[in-house]
Amino acid sequence: MIAADEDCHVVTISSGAGITVNPGFASYSMTKHAVVALTEALYLDLATQGIANIGVTIVMPGVVQSRIMFPERTGLDILQAELKSRHNNPVMAALEAGMRGAVDAGLPVAELADQVFDAVARGDLYVLPNFTDPTSQTIAQDIAMGRATATNPYPPMIAAMLAPATEDPA
C-alpha cells in the first residue's frame, strides 16, 4: 500500500468492548482492546512517517443486529459446557438475556455500513455508532478516566449489575 502510493484505507472492526468491558467476556474484550491498540498504532505510525495516502478507521459498534449472541449454534462441546455454566449464573444469564434482546433491537447492518463508508470518506479514525446515548458515553468516559487516573470505576457498575439479581421478586 505504501509502495503503490495510491489513496487507500484500512478499516478494522473492533467493538464497543474495545473501550469498555463486561463480566464474563474476558477473551472477547481482550481481543477487541488489542484491535483498538493495533489500529491506533497503525494510524500513529503512518502519520509520524508522513504517509498520507493510507487512511485508517476503526469501527467500534455496540449492538448490531447479528447472530453474535448465539454461539451455541457454532460451538464445540467444551463451549457448550461453558455456556451452560454461564446460564446457570443468574447475573450472567441476565446479562446475556439483556444482550440478546439488545442485539435483536440493535443497529441494522446496512445502517452500520453506511456509517462506516461515511467515516472513511471524512477520514475519521473512530466510528462509534452505538455510543451516542448519555449512559453509554458516561460508562466509556468513566472507564477511560479511571485508567488515566488509576481510579477504579467499576464498584458502582458492579453494584448496578448485581442489584436486579439480588432484589426480592415479591
Side-chain angles (χ1 to χ4, degrees):
M1 293 171 83
I2 293 170
D5 197 32
E6 295 179 16
D7 287 342
C8 54
H9 209 95
V10 174
V11 176
T12 59
I13 308 296
S14 176
S15 166
I19 56 173
T20 62
V21 294
N22 280 304
F25 291 85
S27 59
Y28 184 81
S29 293
M30 174 192 65
T31 59
K32 300 311 177 182
H33 277 72
V35 173
V36 172
L38 173 70
T39 307
E40 289 173 337
L42 175 62
Y43 172 85
L44 290 169
D45 287 349
L46 293 169
T48 58
Q49 294 176 35
I51 300 169
N53 67 302
I54 303 173
V56 178
T57 298
I58 182 163
V59 184
M60 295 180 279
V63 289
V64 175
Q65 292 176 0
S66 69
R67 302 294 292 163
I68 193 167
M69 291 305 297
F70 295 94
E72 60 271 11
R73 297 176 158 261
T74 61
L76 304 169
D77 288 342
I78 193 162
L79 176 59
Q80 299 308 315
E82 172 64 20
L83 286 170
K84 184 176 180 188
S85 169
R86 289 167 66 108
H87 292 162
N88 288 337
N89 176 312
V91 173
M92 294 307 302
L95 179 63
E96 288 201 17
M99 290 176 76
R100 284 181 188 221
V103 167
D104 289 344
L107 183 68
V109 173
E111 190 175 325
L112 174 60
D114 289 343
Q115 290 183 30
V116 172
F117 283 114
D118 291 345
V120 168
R122 288 188 306 268
D124 292 347
L125 175 59
Y126 300 108
V127 179
L128 288 138
N130 301 90
F131 281 79
T132 55
D133 66 281
T135 300
S136 294
Q137 291 176 346
T138 298
I139 290 170
Q141 290 168 353
D142 287 351
I143 292 169
M145 186 58 71
R147 291 173 181 161
T149 62
T151 305
N152 184 353
Y154 292 108
M157 292 180 210
I158 293 168
M161 284 181 204
L162 293 176
T166 58
E167 289 177 1
D168 185 5

